[in-house]
Amino acid sequence: MEDLYNRFHRWARTGRWEAIFKDLQLDVDVVDSLADASVVRAHQDASGGKGGLRSNALGRSRGGFSTKVHAVTTTNGKPLHLALTQGQQHESTMAQELLVHAEGDAFIADTAYDADHIRSDVRKLGMKPVIHSHPGRKRRLPLGRPLYRLECCFHDLKRFRAVATHYDKTATCYLAVLHVAAMLLWLH
């Protein structure tokens, strides 16, 4: 059992889990990409990892310790890219990293990504921004409703207990758990 534990952590540190996750996506034709984020509660034992809270993607939000999982997925909910930040960090701060991994004709996102510079960056990539207008925006922008309805990507990932609650002490290991869960979604 000890060997299995060490191998999982070694593969997490060397990026092998992420490499396997990316290899599963090689022959996929992505029509549109969705971007979203979800807050995951962190177990009290997750704190105390080497490097402190910030380097292990743990933050304090209203509900206590939490991590925010950012994802780019296909329209049928298959993850293309996963990233972690502290729970209190706003989703739009990760927009540039998520756009690098977006593919297809449209970039679908919720109001957290509604900013003129994000819309402009999406257009520069040759994609159509399908981003719901923020309620505070003076001029509401049109929204492609059929594409926006597809914007629900964490439902299947959070069915895995190890994903639904952040138990790991390091962000590297928790991200590896996310990659393994995403691999299972790709294989299903």
Side-chain angles (χ1 to χ4, degrees):
M1 188 68 167
E2 183 68 29
D3 186 43
L4 180 65
Y5 174 83
N6 289 333
R7 181 169 298 175
F8 177 85
H9 288 276
R10 189 171 53 250
W11 283 23
R13 281 191 311 272
T14 60
R16 187 173 271 181
W17 290 118
E18 184 175 10
I20 296 169
F21 165 66
K22 293 292 184 186
D23 285 346
L24 286 172
Q25 306 167 22
L26 289 180
D27 295 330
V28 177
D29 190 22
V30 179
V31 178
D32 297 317
S33 294
L34 293 94
D36 200 5
S38 180
V39 174
V40 175
R41 288 284 316 258
H43 192 270
Q44 63 190 14
D45 294 336
S47 65
K50 197 172 198 175
L53 296 177
R54 178 178 221 95
S55 66
N56 290 309
L58 289 169
R60 291 215 180 261
S61 58
R62 289 182 186 178
F65 276 126
S66 61
T67 296
K68 191 169 282 189
V69 179
H70 303 267
V72 175
T73 68
T74 63
T75 52
N76 62 354
K78 305 287 188 202
L80 296 171
H81 177 71
L82 298 163
L84 300 175
T85 60
Q86 292 182 304
Q88 74 272 14
Q89 188 168 331
H90 197 273
E91 294 172 31
S92 64
T93 60
M94 292 293 289
Q96 297 304 319
E97 180 182 334
L98 298 180
L99 278 172
V100 169
H101 301 280
E103 302 175 29
D105 299 327
F107 181 77
I108 306 164
D110 60 12
T111 57
Y113 299 93
D114 182 28
D116 292 333
H117 71 278
I118 295 173
R119 289 177 184 272
S120 173
D121 291 342
V122 171
R123 285 190 198 94
K124 286 177 188 172
L125 292 173
M127 300 171 81
K128 176 185 175 187
V130 182
I131 302 171
H132 197 282
S133 293
H134 191 276
R137 187 180 272 276
K138 288 183 181 177
R139 186 178 66 85
R140 294 283 175 117
L141 299 170
L143 176 66
R145 283 281 175 202
L147 290 176
Y148 183 71
R149 282 193 194 108
L150 297 170
E151 197 263 325
C152 179
C153 57
F154 286 98
H155 175 73
D156 289 336
L157 269 180
K158 283 194 171 183
R159 286 186 171 185
F160 298 96
R161 181 175 178 264
V163 171
T165 303
H166 180 162
Y167 292 103
D168 297 290
K169 287 200 177 287
T170 65
T172 305
C173 287
Y174 182 61
L175 190 57
V177 167
L178 282 165
H179 285 135
V180 170
M183 282 188 269
L184 292 172
L185 294 180
W186 273 99
L187 293 171
H188 188 272

